[in-house]
Amino acid sequence: MLTQQIINGLMLGAIYMLVAVAFTLAIGVLNFLNFSIPGLFMLGGVATFGFLKMGWPFLLAAAGALFIAALVSLLVERLAYRRMKEGDADVPLVSSLGFLVLLENLVLIRYGSDQQAFPALFPDMNLRVGGLVIGIVQLVSMAISLGLVAWLSWFLRTTNAGRRIRTVAENRETAMLMGINIERLVPQLFVCSALLAALAGLLFAINYQQVTPFMGEGIGFKAVAAMIIGGMGSIWGAVIGGLLIGLAEVLSVSFIGADVVNITVYGLLLVILILRPQGLLGRPPAREKL
Amino acid sequence: MALLEVSAIEVNYGRVTALSGVDLTVNEGEIVTVLGANGAGKSTLLRAILGAVPLKAGGIRFSGADITRAPTHSRIASGLVLVPEGRRILISLSVEENLQLGAHMRTDTTRVKAEIDAIYQRFPNLAERRHMLASCLSGGEQQMLAIGRAMLAKPRLMMLDEPSLGLSPLFVSKLFDLIKELNRDGLSILLVEQNTGKALGVAHQATVLELGRVVMAGDPKALAADPRLQQAYLGEGTPSH
Ligand SMILES: Nc1ncnc2c1ncn2[C@@H]1O[C@H](COP(=O)(O)OP(=O)(O)O)[C@@H](O)[C@H]1O
Ligand SMILES: [Mg+2]
C-alpha cells in the first residue's frame, strides 16, 4: 500500500517536476516569473484533447498541441517579456498572468468549464510486482520526464549552447560582449520552457484522463513551490522539489485525507524555507547556476 | 594594410557625448594603444568597435568590410574580440568552461581542445584549477583567463580594456610580455591603458583621448616625451602612475 502510494506520488511529482523546470528556466535565465506556464500546461492537455476529438491520430495531436504551446509562448515573449527590458520587472509578471487568464477563458468558451474526459489511449497494461501494480503508461511517462530533465541538465553543462544559456543567466551584459546572440536565445528559451510545460500537461491528461480549462492553476502553484523548495534556479532542485511535493500530496491524501493536501504541501514549503531559506539545492548567490 | 579603420565616430549616452569625431586605424600586425584619463571615452571606443553601443555618426571597417551596422556576434565571428574592463569572468562557470565559452561559436572542437591545452601550458595556474569555479582565481589569474578566453575566439584583432588594472607589478610585467608575444605571433592588438609608460613601451602607434576627442596621435616615443600627454591626464585630475 505504502509502496504503491509512493509510486503514485512520484508519478504526480514527475509532472510537477517538468513544470518546475519550465519555471526554473524562465526565472533562472530570464529572471522572469512566467505565469503563462500553467496556461501552457493546460494547453498541452486541452489542445491534444481537441485534436483527438477532431479525429487526429495521437502522435499528431500531441505534436500539434506542443506546437501551439510553443507559438503562444513566443507571443508571450513578444508581448509581455520583451517590453519589460527597461521598465518595471513586475509588469511582465502581471501580463503573463493575463495570458493565463486569456488562455483559460478561450478554452472555457470552446469546451465549457466542465471537466472533460480525456480518452484512454493505451490499453490498460500493468506490471505486477509482488502486490504492486504499476501502469506501463505511468512508467513510460516517468521515464520520459526524468530522461528529458537529465538530458537538459547534460545539455546545459556540456554544450556550447548550454554554456551560452548559463552565461546569459549569470550576466547578460557579459554575454553580449562575448558575442552571444541574446535576441535569438531568449525566444528559444521561451519555446523550451513551453514544451516542458505542455508535455507535462499532456502526460497529466494521459495519466489522469481528464482536462479542464483550469487544470494549470493548482499544478502551477505547486510547481512554483517545488522550485522554491529545491532552490530557485537549480534544475536538480526543481526535480527534487517536484518529486517531494508529489509524494507529500499523494501520501497525505491517502493517509490523512484529501482536505489537508494544501496544508501538507505548503506546510512542507514553509518548514523547508525556515530550515534552509535558499532551498534544498539552492546556493548562496553568485555561485553555480542551473 | 589597415585591419581596423574607425572614421569620425560619435557616440552618445542620452545627452552625454562620450565620443565625437574619433578616428583610429590599426594596421595588420600592430599594437596600437589608446590612452586618456578616466571618463575620456576609451571603453566607449572599444564598445563601439565591438558594436555594443550604437553609433550616432561615423563608420567602422574591419578587414576590408564595412561593419558599421553589424551586430556584436557577427563582429566577433569575423575576428574582433574584447577583453573587457574588469575582466568579466563568469563566476558560475568553471575555469575550463570560461575558456570554452570563448570558443562558443566555433565548430572545430578538436582544434579548440588543442588550443585550450596550449593555454594551460602557458598558464599552469589555470590548468591546476580547470575544474574549479572561476571565482577561486586571483585577480592576475582572472586576467590571464580573460585573455585566454579571448584567444579562443580565434581573433585577428584583440582589444584589451585596462588589463593591468589592479594587478601586482609581477603580473603587470607578465601581462605585457604576453601582449608582446601574442603580437609577435601575428595578432593585432588595440590596447587601452592607464599605465601609459608600459603601454607606450610596447605600442607601434598611440592615440590620446580627452573628453571624447582625439587630442594627440602618432609615434609612441614622441608622445612619451610630449608634455601635453601629462596634461591630458591632469585635465581630468586623474594622473596615471
Ligand atoms: N552606460 C553609460 N551611461 C551613461 N554614461 C556613460 C555610460 N558609460 C560611460 N558613460 C560616460 O561616458 C564617458 C566616457 O566613459 P568611458 O568610455 O567609460 O571612459 P573611460 O573608459 O575612458 O574611463 C564618461 O563621461 C562616462 O561617465
Ligand atoms: Mg574605461
Side-chain angles (χ1 to χ4, degrees):
Chain A
M1 173 64 182
L2 178 64
T3 330
Q4 184 73 60
Q5 293 309 329
I6 287 177
I7 289 167
N8 294 342
L10 290 176
M11 176 64 232
L12 185 61
I15 285 170
Y16 292 148
M17 167 188 85
L18 286 178
V19 182
V21 172
F23 272 112
T24 296
L25 277 183
I27 200 115
V29 185
L30 306 165
N31 201 15
F32 176 33
L33 187 51
N34 182 356
F35 269 116
S36 72
I37 286 174
L40 301 169
F41 170 90
M42 180 271 292
L43 267 188
V46 170
T48 307
F49 168 79
F51 288 141
L52 287 172
K53 257 178 78 163
M54 287 159 63
W56 293 20
F58 168 69
L59 281 180
L60 194 63
L66 293 180
F67 182 74
I68 287 183
L71 277 187
V72 171
S73 194
L74 286 174
L75 273 181
V76 174
E77 194 268 330
R78 268 291 158 90
L79 302 176
Y81 180 74
R82 204 174 282 191
R83 288 163 187 250
M84 87 164 168
K85 286 201 183 135
E86 290 93 45
D88 195 329
D90 298 336
V91 174
L93 187 152
V94 173
S95 48
S96 73
L97 201 55
F99 265 93
L100 172 60
V101 175
L102 179 71
L103 288 173
E104 286 178 345
N105 283 288
L106 288 176
V107 169
L108 188 93
I109 292 167
R110 180 77 177 77
Y111 297 110
S113 63
D114 295 341
Q115 184 169 305
Q116 305 278 333
F118 193 87
L121 294 167
F122 306 99
D124 207 6
M125 283 192 300
N126 294 317
L127 277 181
R128 279 167 211 281
V129 189
L132 238 53
V133 187
I134 307 171
I136 300 280
V137 175
Q138 199 178 30
L139 209 60
V140 170
S141 304
M142 272 165 71
I144 290 177
S145 310
L146 281 168
L148 190 65
V149 173
W151 175 83
L152 183 65
S153 168
W154 171 87
F155 178 85
L156 287 169
R157 209 140 282 289
T158 59
T159 66
N160 275 328
R163 283 186 286 271
R164 282 195 282 265
I165 293 170
R166 287 158 60 210
T167 299
V168 173
E170 180 178 324
N171 190 318
R172 241 176 221 244
E173 167 100 359
T174 305
M176 199 257 295
L177 295 176
M178 297 295 114
I180 293 171
N181 188 348
I182 298 174
E183 244 91 279
R184 197 176 63 191
L185 189 78
V186 168
Q188 288 170 348
L189 283 165
F190 269 84
V191 167
C192 270
S193 168
L195 292 178
L196 286 165
L199 176 70
L202 171 61
L203 293 179
F204 183 91
I206 292 173
N207 280 282
Y208 301 100
Q209 297 179 0
Q210 47 171 283
V211 290
T212 76
F214 306 107
M215 66 194 254
E217 286 183 4
I219 302 265
F221 281 122
K222 283 176 196 144
V224 170
M227 173 175 75
I228 295 170
I229 285 179
M232 299 265 262
S234 154
I235 288 202
W236 290 106
V239 171
I240 291 177
L243 296 178
L244 261 182
I245 289 199
L247 278 177
E249 179 168 342
V250 169
L251 293 180
S252 64
V253 169
S254 63
F255 293 111
I256 313 176
D259 319 337
V260 297
V261 172
N262 285 338
I263 297 176
T264 21
V265 168
Y266 295 104
L268 181 69
L269 173 68
L270 207 64
V271 169
I272 288 180
L273 280 186
I274 289 168
L275 296 179
R276 223 182 127 77
Q278 73 270 40
L280 292 175
L281 296 192
R283 295 175 172 130
R287 289 282 305 275
E288 204 161 352
K289 285 195 175 165
L290 291 171
Chain B
M1 204 194 85
L3 179 60
L4 175 75
E5 288 175 88
V6 173
S7 29
I9 62 167
E10 183 172 335
V11 174
N12 297 344
Y13 294 112
R15 256 175 287 144
V16 180
T17 303
L19 293 176
S20 63
V22 173
D23 295 315
L24 180 83
T25 302
V26 180
N27 293 311
E28 201 98 50
E30 270 185 346
I31 300 179
V32 174
T33 186
V34 175
L35 307 172
N38 264 333
K42 307 177 298 293
S43 298
T44 303
L45 175 59
L46 299 191
R47 285 169 162 261
I49 295 169
L50 198 70
V53 290
L55 297 186
K56 181 89 185 298
I60 303 173
R61 296 181 68 79
F62 180 66
S63 88
D66 184 359
I67 58 165
T68 309
R69 273 171 234 308
T72 300
H73 55 91
S74 68
R75 295 185 199 207
I76 291 176
S78 72
L80 264 173
V81 77
L82 173 68
V83 179
E85 192 170 16
R87 314 185 249 278
R88 289 183 174 267
I89 288 302
L90 279 304
I91 56 174
S92 64
L93 269 58
S94 70
V95 168
E96 181 143 314
E97 287 173 329
N98 268 278
L99 292 174
Q100 290 168 325
L101 179 67
H104 75 90
M105 290 189 217
R106 291 172 58 181
T107 48
D108 50 342
T109 39
T110 38
R111 282 287 318 144
V112 170
K113 275 209 186 85
E115 286 173 36
I116 288 179
D117 285 340
I119 284 171
Y120 285 148
Q121 301 235 305
R122 206 192 274 264
F123 309 122
N125 286 0
L126 298 185
E128 276 167 31
R129 305 206 165 94
R130 62 210 284 176
H131 297 305
M132 292 166 73
L133 291 179
S135 51
C136 74
L137 299 179
S138 73
E141 291 164 346
Q142 288 195 6
Q143 189 62 66
M144 299 303 149
L145 181 60
I147 294 174
R149 179 179 68 184
M151 284 160 64
L152 279 160
K154 250 196 174 164
R156 300 179 58 202
L157 175 66
M158 185 184 286
M159 304 190 280
L160 298 115
D161 195 346
E162 304 205 21
S164 74
L165 199 72
L167 299 193
S168 68
L170 176 68
F171 261 114
V172 171
S173 48
K174 270 193 186 176
L175 172 75
F176 278 92
D177 288 345
L178 175 63
I179 289 173
K180 279 189 281 193
E181 198 180 319
L182 291 175
N183 178 249
R184 228 179 292 124
D185 295 344
L187 185 64
S188 307
I189 287 173
L190 180 55
L191 174 66
V192 160
E193 260 301 337
Q194 292 269 353
N195 192 334
T196 48
K198 287 262 189 198
L200 290 170
V202 297
H204 304 102
Q205 280 194 72
T207 290
V208 181
L209 287 181
E210 195 178 336
L211 297 175
R213 292 178 180 278
V214 176
V215 289
M216 284 191 281
D219 176 45
K221 291 198 187 58
L223 273 181
D226 194 323
R228 287 181 303 160
L229 178 63
Q230 286 308 319
Q231 260 167 25
Y233 281 87
L234 294 171
E236 282 290 297
T238 350
S240 73
H241 36 272

